[in-house]
PDB file of all heavy atoms in Angstrom:
ATOM      1  N   PHE A1180     127.525 160.919 136.184  1.00 98.00           N
ATOM      2  CA  PHE A1180     128.035 159.736 136.574  1.00 98.00           C
ATOM      3  C   PHE A1180     128.858 160.032 138.008  1.00 98.00           C
ATOM      4  O   PHE A1180     129.063 161.231 138.330  1.00 98.00           O
ATOM      5  CB  PHE A1180     129.063 159.081 135.581  1.00 98.00           C
ATOM      6  CG  PHE A1180     128.392 158.981 134.165  1.00 98.00           C
ATOM      7  CD1 PHE A1180     128.274 159.965 133.353  1.00 98.00           C
ATOM      8  CD2 PHE A1180     127.554 157.824 133.909  1.00 98.00           C
ATOM      9  CE1 PHE A1180     127.672 159.886 132.107  1.00 98.00           C
ATOM     10  CE2 PHE A1180     127.027 157.702 132.756  1.00 98.00           C
ATOM     11  CZ  PHE A1180     127.116 158.702 131.788  1.00 98.00           C
ATOM     12  N   ALA A1181     129.252 158.896 138.646  1.00 98.00           N
ATOM     13  CA  ALA A1181     129.731 159.130 139.980  1.00 98.00           C
ATOM     14  C   ALA A1181     131.112 159.833 139.772  1.00 98.00           C
ATOM     15  O   ALA A1181     131.661 160.389 140.838  1.00 98.00           O
ATOM     16  CB  ALA A1181     130.126 157.625 140.561  1.00 98.00           C
ATOM     17  N   SER A1182     131.849 159.794 138.673  1.00 98.00           N
ATOM     18  CA  SER A1182     133.205 160.393 138.581  1.00 98.00           C
ATOM     19  C   SER A1182     133.458 160.548 137.077  1.00 98.00           C
ATOM     20  O   SER A1182     132.719 160.003 136.219  1.00 98.00           O
ATOM     21  CB  SER A1182     134.207 159.590 139.264  1.00 98.00           C
ATOM     22  OG  SER A1182     134.369 158.388 138.567  1.00 98.00           O
ATOM     23  N   GLY A1183     134.594 161.186 136.752  1.00 98.00           N
ATOM     24  CA  GLY A1183     134.903 161.284 135.375  1.00 98.00           C
ATOM     25  C   GLY A1183     135.254 159.868 134.835  1.00 98.00           C
ATOM     26  O   GLY A1183     134.714 159.393 133.612  1.00 98.00           O
ATOM     27  N   MET A1184     135.836 158.971 135.583  1.00 98.00           N
ATOM     28  CA  MET A1184     136.119 157.616 135.243  1.00 98.00           C
ATOM     29  C   MET A1184     134.828 156.762 135.063  1.00 98.00           C
ATOM     30  O   MET A1184     134.677 155.929 134.140  1.00 98.00           O
ATOM     31  CB  MET A1184     136.968 156.712 136.314  1.00 98.00           C
ATOM     32  CG  MET A1184     138.418 157.297 136.248  1.00 98.00           C
ATOM     33  SD  MET A1184     139.132 157.510 134.679  1.00 98.00           S
ATOM     34  CE  MET A1184     139.105 155.892 133.963  1.00 98.00           C
ATOM     35  N   GLY A1185     133.803 157.040 135.902  1.00 98.00           N
ATOM     36  CA  GLY A1185     132.506 156.451 135.726  1.00 98.00           C
ATOM     37  C   GLY A1185     131.935 156.802 134.444  1.00 98.00           C
ATOM     38  O   GLY A1185     131.358 155.895 133.651  1.00 98.00           O
ATOM     39  N   ALA A1186     132.051 158.110 134.037  1.00 98.00           N
ATOM     40  CA  ALA A1186     131.513 158.565 132.712  1.00 98.00           C
ATOM     41  C   ALA A1186     132.135 157.849 131.597  1.00 98.00           C
ATOM     42  O   ALA A1186     131.440 157.455 130.677  1.00 98.00           O
ATOM     43  CB  ALA A1186     131.677 160.190 132.610  1.00 98.00           C
ATOM     44  N   ILE A1187     133.446 157.924 131.644  1.00 98.00           N
ATOM     45  CA  ILE A1187     134.234 157.180 130.452  1.00 98.00           C
ATOM     46  C   ILE A1187     133.941 155.707 130.401  1.00 98.00           C
ATOM     47  O   ILE A1187     133.672 155.254 129.340  1.00 98.00           O
ATOM     48  CB  ILE A1187     135.803 157.429 130.696  1.00 98.00           C
ATOM     49  CG1 ILE A1187     136.137 158.881 130.641  1.00 98.00           C
ATOM     50  CG2 ILE A1187     136.661 156.556 129.728  1.00 98.00           C
ATOM     51  CD1 ILE A1187     137.552 159.209 131.131  1.00 98.00           C
ATOM     52  N   LEU A1207     146.692 159.807 126.961  1.00 92.00           N
ATOM     53  CA  LEU A1207     145.400 159.848 127.590  1.00 92.00           C
ATOM     54  C   LEU A1207     145.773 159.938 129.019  1.00 92.00           C
ATOM     55  O   LEU A1207     146.792 159.623 129.593  1.00 92.00           O
ATOM     56  CB  LEU A1207     144.624 158.630 127.448  1.00 92.00           C
ATOM     57  CG  LEU A1207     143.887 158.507 126.017  1.00 92.00           C
ATOM     58  CD1 LEU A1207     143.130 157.057 125.930  1.00 92.00           C
ATOM     59  CD2 LEU A1207     142.998 159.631 125.676  1.00 92.00           C
ATOM     60  N   TYR A1208     144.797 160.381 129.777  1.00 91.00           N
ATOM     61  CA  TYR A1208     144.811 160.551 131.310  1.00 91.00           C
ATOM     62  C   TYR A1208     145.225 159.075 131.740  1.00 91.00           C
ATOM     63  O   TYR A1208     144.814 158.112 131.156  1.00 91.00           O
ATOM     64  CB  TYR A1208     143.426 160.955 131.776  1.00 91.00           C
ATOM     65  CG  TYR A1208     143.249 160.894 133.257  1.00 91.00           C
ATOM     66  CD1 TYR A1208     143.890 161.794 134.145  1.00 91.00           C
ATOM     67  CD2 TYR A1208     142.423 159.993 133.826  1.00 91.00           C
ATOM     68  CE1 TYR A1208     143.589 161.837 135.395  1.00 91.00           C
ATOM     69  CE2 TYR A1208     142.231 159.941 135.267  1.00 91.00           C
ATOM     70  CZ  TYR A1208     142.869 160.948 136.073  1.00 91.00           C
ATOM     71  OH  TYR A1208     142.651 161.010 137.452  1.00 91.00           O
ATOM     72  N   GLY A1209     146.042 159.077 132.848  1.00 87.00           N
ATOM     73  CA  GLY A1209     146.738 157.704 133.126  1.00 87.00           C
ATOM     74  C   GLY A1209     145.615 156.655 133.467  1.00 87.00           C
ATOM     75  O   GLY A1209     145.734 155.647 132.999  1.00 87.00           O
ATOM     76  N   ARG A1210     144.717 156.975 134.177  1.00 91.00           N
ATOM     77  CA  ARG A1210     143.584 156.032 134.649  1.00 91.00           C
ATOM     78  C   ARG A1210     142.851 155.524 133.424  1.00 91.00           C
ATOM     79  O   ARG A1210     142.326 154.389 133.314  1.00 91.00           O
ATOM     80  CB  ARG A1210     142.777 156.619 135.587  1.00 91.00           C
ATOM     81  CG  ARG A1210     143.438 156.642 137.079  1.00 91.00           C
ATOM     82  CD  ARG A1210     143.332 155.290 137.576  1.00 91.00           C
ATOM     83  NE  ARG A1210     143.747 155.180 138.978  1.00 91.00           N
ATOM     84  CZ  ARG A1210     143.619 154.211 139.724  1.00 91.00           C
ATOM     85  NH1 ARG A1210     143.415 152.992 139.231  1.00 91.00           N
ATOM     86  NH2 ARG A1210     143.866 154.260 140.986  1.00 91.00           N
ATOM     87  N   THR A1211     142.677 156.424 132.459  1.00 95.00           N
ATOM     88  CA  THR A1211     141.954 156.086 131.229  1.00 95.00           C
ATOM     89  C   THR A1211     142.746 155.044 130.437  1.00 95.00           C
ATOM     90  O   THR A1211     142.225 154.042 129.980  1.00 95.00           O
ATOM     91  CB  THR A1211     141.664 157.423 130.338  1.00 95.00           C
ATOM     92  OG1 THR A1211     141.099 158.292 131.186  1.00 95.00           O
ATOM     93  CG2 THR A1211     140.876 156.965 129.246  1.00 95.00           C
ATOM     94  N   GLU A1251     141.443 163.118 123.841  1.00 98.00           N
ATOM     95  CA  GLU A1251     141.333 164.323 124.844  1.00 98.00           C
ATOM     96  C   GLU A1251     141.494 165.511 124.045  1.00 98.00           C
ATOM     97  O   GLU A1251     142.489 165.524 123.197  1.00 98.00           O
ATOM     98  CB  GLU A1251     142.247 164.139 126.118  1.00 98.00           C
ATOM     99  CG  GLU A1251     141.964 163.003 126.943  1.00 98.00           C
ATOM    100  CD  GLU A1251     142.926 162.628 128.051  1.00 98.00           C
ATOM    101  OE1 GLU A1251     143.896 163.478 128.213  1.00 98.00           O
ATOM    102  OE2 GLU A1251     142.688 161.548 128.653  1.00 98.00           O
ATOM    103  N   THR A1252     140.834 166.597 124.414  1.00 98.00           N
ATOM    104  CA  THR A1252     140.984 167.876 123.709  1.00 98.00           C
ATOM    105  C   THR A1252     142.509 168.379 123.857  1.00 98.00           C
ATOM    106  O   THR A1252     143.158 168.688 122.777  1.00 98.00           O
ATOM    107  CB  THR A1252     140.101 169.048 124.187  1.00 98.00           C
ATOM    108  OG1 THR A1252     140.324 169.024 125.557  1.00 98.00           O
ATOM    109  CG2 THR A1252     138.685 168.818 123.897  1.00 98.00           C
ATOM    110  N   ILE A1253     142.862 168.442 125.011  1.00 97.00           N
ATOM    111  CA  ILE A1253     144.442 168.898 125.302  1.00 97.00           C
ATOM    112  C   ILE A1253     144.836 167.900 126.395  1.00 97.00           C
ATOM    113  O   ILE A1253     144.246 167.635 127.278  1.00 97.00           O
ATOM    114  CB  ILE A1253     144.427 170.349 125.797  1.00 97.00           C
ATOM    115  CG1 ILE A1253     143.830 171.248 124.565  1.00 97.00           C
ATOM    116  CG2 ILE A1253     145.848 170.729 126.229  1.00 97.00           C
ATOM    117  CD1 ILE A1253     144.146 172.756 124.947  1.00 97.00           C
ATOM    118  N   SER A1254     145.924 167.279 126.122  1.00 93.00           N
ATOM    119  CA  SER A1254     146.394 166.127 126.988  1.00 93.00           C
ATOM    120  C   SER A1254     147.242 166.500 127.998  1.00 93.00           C
ATOM    121  O   SER A1254     148.011 167.376 128.016  1.00 93.00           O
ATOM    122  CB  SER A1254     146.866 164.978 125.949  1.00 93.00           C
ATOM    123  OG  SER A1254     148.127 165.372 125.687  1.00 93.00           O
ATOM    124  N   ASN A1255     147.159 165.571 129.067  1.00 86.00           N
ATOM    125  CA  ASN A1255     147.950 165.770 130.180  1.00 86.00           C
ATOM    126  C   ASN A1255     149.229 164.886 130.058  1.00 86.00           C
ATOM    127  O   ASN A1255     149.219 163.699 129.627  1.00 86.00           O
ATOM    128  CB  ASN A1255     147.148 165.234 131.345  1.00 86.00           C
ATOM    129  CG  ASN A1255     147.775 165.192 132.716  1.00 86.00           C
ATOM    130  OD1 ASN A1255     148.571 166.141 132.945  1.00 86.00           O
ATOM    131  ND2 ASN A1255     147.304 164.347 133.600  1.00 86.00           N
ATOM    132  N   ASP A1278     137.251 163.589 125.496  1.00 98.00           N
ATOM    133  CA  ASP A1278     137.275 163.925 126.926  1.00 98.00           C
ATOM    134  C   ASP A1278     137.810 165.399 126.858  1.00 98.00           C
ATOM    135  O   ASP A1278     138.913 165.751 126.541  1.00 98.00           O
ATOM    136  CB  ASP A1278     138.359 163.115 127.704  1.00 98.00           C
ATOM    137  CG  ASP A1278     138.483 163.393 129.064  1.00 98.00           C
ATOM    138  OD1 ASP A1278     138.261 164.535 129.428  1.00 98.00           O
ATOM    139  OD2 ASP A1278     138.910 162.539 129.833  1.00 98.00           O
ATOM    140  N   SER A1279     136.793 166.419 127.314  1.00 98.00           N
ATOM    141  CA  SER A1279     137.152 167.767 127.259  1.00 98.00           C
ATOM    142  C   SER A1279     137.400 168.298 128.674  1.00 98.00           C
ATOM    143  O   SER A1279     137.176 169.502 128.891  1.00 98.00           O
ATOM    144  CB  SER A1279     135.966 168.478 126.573  1.00 98.00           C
ATOM    145  OG  SER A1279     136.242 169.839 126.414  1.00 98.00           O
ATOM    146  N   THR A1280     137.833 167.504 129.683  1.00 98.00           N
ATOM    147  CA  THR A1280     137.994 167.915 130.986  1.00 98.00           C
ATOM    148  C   THR A1280     138.865 169.204 131.104  1.00 98.00           C
ATOM    149  O   THR A1280     138.602 170.127 131.782  1.00 98.00           O
ATOM    150  CB  THR A1280     138.629 166.739 131.806  1.00 98.00           C
ATOM    151  OG1 THR A1280     137.770 165.655 131.743  1.00 98.00           O
ATOM    152  CG2 THR A1280     139.006 167.144 133.294  1.00 98.00           C
ATOM    153  N   PHE A1281     140.001 169.145 130.344  1.00 97.00           N
ATOM    154  CA  PHE A1281     140.978 170.292 130.324  1.00 97.00           C
ATOM    155  C   PHE A1281     140.415 171.615 129.825  1.00 97.00           C
ATOM    156  O   PHE A1281     140.940 172.651 130.047  1.00 97.00           O
ATOM    157  CB  PHE A1281     142.339 169.910 129.656  1.00 97.00           C
ATOM    158  CG  PHE A1281     143.336 169.249 130.527  1.00 97.00           C
ATOM    159  CD1 PHE A1281     142.858 168.230 131.388  1.00 97.00           C
ATOM    160  CD2 PHE A1281     144.621 169.515 130.371  1.00 97.00           C
ATOM    161  CE1 PHE A1281     143.778 167.557 132.271  1.00 97.00           C
ATOM    162  CE2 PHE A1281     145.597 168.777 131.240  1.00 97.00           C
ATOM    163  CZ  PHE A1281     145.060 167.741 132.065  1.00 97.00           C
ATOM    164  N   ILE A1298     132.807 164.142 127.186  1.00 98.00           N
ATOM    165  CA  ILE A1298     132.935 163.689 128.411  1.00 98.00           C
ATOM    166  C   ILE A1298     133.701 164.589 129.353  1.00 98.00           C
ATOM    167  O   ILE A1298     134.632 165.314 128.769  1.00 98.00           O
ATOM    168  CB  ILE A1298     133.647 162.301 128.561  1.00 98.00           C
ATOM    169  CG1 ILE A1298     132.722 161.274 127.798  1.00 98.00           C
ATOM    170  CG2 ILE A1298     133.781 161.840 130.014  1.00 98.00           C
ATOM    171  CD1 ILE A1298     133.411 159.847 127.708  1.00 98.00           C
ATOM    172  N   HIS A1299     133.269 164.824 130.583  1.00 98.00           N
ATOM    173  CA  HIS A1299     134.125 165.658 131.457  1.00 98.00           C
ATOM    174  C   HIS A1299     134.216 164.932 132.788  1.00 98.00           C
ATOM    175  O   HIS A1299     133.361 164.400 133.354  1.00 98.00           O
ATOM    176  CB  HIS A1299     133.442 166.962 131.747  1.00 98.00           C
ATOM    177  CG  HIS A1299     133.280 167.916 130.620  1.00 98.00           C
ATOM    178  ND1 HIS A1299     134.253 168.814 130.245  1.00 98.00           N
ATOM    179  CD2 HIS A1299     132.275 168.087 129.745  1.00 98.00           C
ATOM    180  CE1 HIS A1299     133.814 169.434 129.210  1.00 98.00           C
ATOM    181  NE2 HIS A1299     132.633 168.988 128.917  1.00 98.00           N
ATOM    182  N   SER A1300     135.427 165.004 133.412  1.00 98.00           N
ATOM    183  CA  SER A1300     135.544 164.952 134.778  1.00 98.00           C
ATOM    184  C   SER A1300     134.999 166.260 135.446  1.00 98.00           C
ATOM    185  O   SER A1300     135.724 167.137 135.525  1.00 98.00           O
ATOM    186  CB  SER A1300     136.980 164.672 135.354  1.00 98.00           C
ATOM    187  OG  SER A1300     137.041 164.801 136.694  1.00 98.00           O
ATOM    188  N   ALA A1301     133.869 166.184 135.939  1.00 98.00           N
ATOM    189  CA  ALA A1301     133.252 167.436 136.566  1.00 98.00           C
ATOM    190  C   ALA A1301     133.960 167.752 138.029  1.00 98.00           C
ATOM    191  O   ALA A1301     133.831 168.803 138.586  1.00 98.00           O
ATOM    192  CB  ALA A1301     131.777 167.330 136.803  1.00 98.00           C
ATOM    193  N   SER A1302     134.742 166.703 138.423  1.00 98.00           N
ATOM    194  CA  SER A1302     135.621 166.874 139.636  1.00 98.00           C
ATOM    195  C   SER A1302     136.599 168.074 139.359  1.00 98.00           C
ATOM    196  O   SER A1302     137.091 168.673 140.419  1.00 98.00           O
ATOM    197  CB  SER A1302     136.368 165.665 139.967  1.00 98.00           C
ATOM    198  OG  SER A1302     135.667 164.540 139.649  1.00 98.00           O
ATOM    199  N   LYS A1303     136.891 168.352 138.073  1.00 98.00           N
ATOM    200  CA  LYS A1303     137.813 169.435 137.786  1.00 98.00           C
ATOM    201  C   LYS A1303     137.138 170.768 137.550  1.00 98.00           C
ATOM    202  O   LYS A1303     136.420 171.174 138.428  1.00 98.00           O
ATOM    203  CB  LYS A1303     138.633 168.981 136.598  1.00 98.00           C
ATOM    204  CG  LYS A1303     139.098 167.576 136.755  1.00 98.00           C
ATOM    205  CD  LYS A1303     140.118 167.368 137.622  1.00 98.00           C
ATOM    206  CE  LYS A1303     140.488 165.717 137.850  1.00 98.00           C
ATOM    207  NZ  LYS A1303     140.821 165.056 136.715  1.00 98.00           N
ATOM    208  N   VAL A1311     134.415 167.929 144.804  1.00 97.00           N
ATOM    209  CA  VAL A1311     133.403 167.112 144.193  1.00 97.00           C
ATOM    210  C   VAL A1311     134.044 166.009 143.477  1.00 97.00           C
ATOM    211  O   VAL A1311     135.079 166.220 142.889  1.00 97.00           O
ATOM    212  CB  VAL A1311     132.406 167.864 143.429  1.00 97.00           C
ATOM    213  CG1 VAL A1311     131.762 167.109 142.201  1.00 97.00           C
ATOM    214  CG2 VAL A1311     131.340 168.606 144.153  1.00 97.00           C
ATOM    215  N   MET A1312     133.471 164.825 143.468  1.00 98.00           N
ATOM    216  CA  MET A1312     133.795 163.812 142.495  1.00 98.00           C
ATOM    217  C   MET A1312     132.540 163.526 141.563  1.00 98.00           C
ATOM    218  O   MET A1312     131.555 163.096 142.201  1.00 98.00           O
ATOM    219  CB  MET A1312     134.106 162.519 143.263  1.00 98.00           C
ATOM    220  CG  MET A1312     135.443 162.283 143.735  1.00 98.00           C
ATOM    221  SD  MET A1312     136.590 161.895 142.396  1.00 98.00           S
ATOM    222  CE  MET A1312     137.956 162.837 142.829  1.00 98.00           C
ATOM    223  N   LEU A1313     132.672 163.902 140.364  1.00 98.00           N
ATOM    224  CA  LEU A1313     131.505 163.621 139.428  1.00 98.00           C
ATOM    225  C   LEU A1313     131.935 163.616 138.025  1.00 98.00           C
ATOM    226  O   LEU A1313     133.092 164.176 137.631  1.00 98.00           O
ATOM    227  CB  LEU A1313     130.493 164.867 139.575  1.00 98.00           C
ATOM    228  CG  LEU A1313     129.102 164.558 139.208  1.00 98.00           C
ATOM    229  CD1 LEU A1313     128.353 163.787 140.306  1.00 98.00           C
ATOM    230  CD2 LEU A1313     128.485 165.950 138.858  1.00 98.00           C
ATOM    231  N   GLY A1314     131.230 162.871 137.146  1.00 98.00           N
ATOM    232  CA  GLY A1314     131.493 162.955 135.763  1.00 98.00           C
ATOM    233  C   GLY A1314     130.160 163.234 135.013  1.00 98.00           C
ATOM    234  O   GLY A1314     129.147 163.068 135.492  1.00 98.00           O
ATOM    235  N   VAL A1315     130.397 163.753 133.783  1.00 98.00           N
ATOM    236  CA  VAL A1315     129.202 164.085 132.994  1.00 98.00           C
ATOM    237  C   VAL A1315     129.521 163.722 131.488  1.00 98.00           C
ATOM    238  O   VAL A1315     130.742 163.605 131.136  1.00 98.00           O
ATOM    239  CB  VAL A1315     128.870 165.705 132.916  1.00 98.00           C
ATOM    240  CG1 VAL A1315     128.542 166.060 134.320  1.00 98.00           C
ATOM    241  CG2 VAL A1315     129.974 166.508 132.338  1.00 98.00           C
ATOM    242  N   PRO A1431     147.548 165.957 143.909  1.00 85.00           N
ATOM    243  CA  PRO A1431     147.520 165.093 142.588  1.00 85.00           C
ATOM    244  C   PRO A1431     146.179 165.380 141.893  1.00 85.00           C
ATOM    245  O   PRO A1431     145.658 164.380 141.360  1.00 85.00           O
ATOM    246  CB  PRO A1431     147.741 163.736 143.001  1.00 85.00           C
ATOM    247  CG  PRO A1431     147.122 163.629 144.442  1.00 85.00           C
ATOM    248  CD  PRO A1431     147.507 165.092 145.017  1.00 85.00           C
ATOM    249  N   THR A1432     145.645 166.587 141.918  1.00 88.00           N
ATOM    250  CA  THR A1432     144.433 166.745 141.110  1.00 88.00           C
ATOM    251  C   THR A1432     144.651 168.081 140.392  1.00 88.00           C
ATOM    252  O   THR A1432     145.858 168.534 140.166  1.00 88.00           O
ATOM    253  CB  THR A1432     143.258 166.958 141.986  1.00 88.00           C
ATOM    254  OG1 THR A1432     142.061 167.245 141.148  1.00 88.00           O
ATOM    255  CG2 THR A1432     143.332 168.214 142.938  1.00 88.00           C
ATOM    256  N   LEU A1433     143.675 168.614 139.684  1.00 94.00           N
ATOM    257  CA  LEU A1433     143.805 169.913 138.836  1.00 94.00           C
ATOM    258  C   LEU A1433     142.656 170.579 139.002  1.00 94.00           C
ATOM    259  O   LEU A1433     141.578 169.939 139.300  1.00 94.00           O
ATOM    260  CB  LEU A1433     144.300 169.548 137.576  1.00 94.00           C
ATOM    261  CG  LEU A1433     143.380 168.691 136.655  1.00 94.00           C
ATOM    262  CD1 LEU A1433     142.583 169.583 135.686  1.00 94.00           C
ATOM    263  CD2 LEU A1433     144.377 167.821 135.773  1.00 94.00           C
ATOM    264  N   ARG A1467     153.727 169.849 136.914  1.00 96.00           N
ATOM    265  CA  ARG A1467     152.565 170.324 136.086  1.00 96.00           C
ATOM    266  C   ARG A1467     151.815 171.241 137.118  1.00 96.00           C
ATOM    267  O   ARG A1467     151.546 170.889 138.249  1.00 96.00           O
ATOM    268  CB  ARG A1467     151.640 169.171 135.819  1.00 96.00           C
ATOM    269  CG  ARG A1467     150.515 169.541 135.059  1.00 96.00           C
ATOM    270  CD  ARG A1467     149.232 168.560 134.989  1.00 96.00           C
ATOM    271  NE  ARG A1467     148.720 168.501 136.293  1.00 96.00           N
ATOM    272  CZ  ARG A1467     147.970 167.560 136.817  1.00 96.00           C
ATOM    273  NH1 ARG A1467     147.677 166.379 136.002  1.00 96.00           N
ATOM    274  NH2 ARG A1467     147.257 167.590 137.926  1.00 96.00           N
TER     275      ARG A1467
HETATM  276  C1  PLP B1514     140.744 163.703 136.362  1.00 85.34           C
HETATM  277  C2  PLP B1514     140.439 163.277 134.818  1.00 85.34           C
HETATM  278  C3  PLP B1514     139.730 162.137 134.530  1.00 85.34           C
HETATM  279  C4  PLP B1514     138.996 161.289 135.648  1.00 85.34           C
HETATM  280  O1  PLP B1514     138.016 162.049 136.286  1.00 85.34           O
HETATM  281  P1  PLP B1514     137.658 161.665 137.913  1.00 85.34           P
HETATM  282  O2  PLP B1514     136.570 162.517 138.194  1.00 85.34           O
HETATM  283  O3  PLP B1514     138.892 161.843 138.669  1.00 85.34           O
HETATM  284  O4  PLP B1514     137.181 160.115 137.798  1.00 85.34           O
HETATM  285  C5  PLP B1514     139.448 161.843 133.225  1.00 85.34           C
HETATM  286  N1  PLP B1514     140.083 162.515 132.277  1.00 85.34           N
HETATM  287  C6  PLP B1514     140.920 163.609 132.549  1.00 85.34           C
HETATM  288  C7  PLP B1514     141.521 164.402 131.438  1.00 85.34           C
HETATM  289  C8  PLP B1514     141.070 163.955 133.915  1.00 85.34           C
HETATM  290  O5  PLP B1514     141.869 165.070 134.028  1.00 85.34           O
END
Side-chain angles (χ1 to χ4, degrees):
F1180 306 89
S1182 65
M1184 290 314 301
I1187 294 169
L1207 290 174
Y1208 178 68
R1210 283 286 193 176
T1211 307
E1251 292 173 6
T1252 47
I1253 295 190
S1254 70
N1255 182 27
D1278 178 337
S1279 184
T1280 299
F1281 272 39
I1298 295 176
H1299 295 273
S1300 165
S1302 322
K1303 313 291 171 54
V1311 154
M1312 277 279 139
L1313 201 83
V1315 301
T1432 184
L1433 59 96
R1467 187 196 71 196

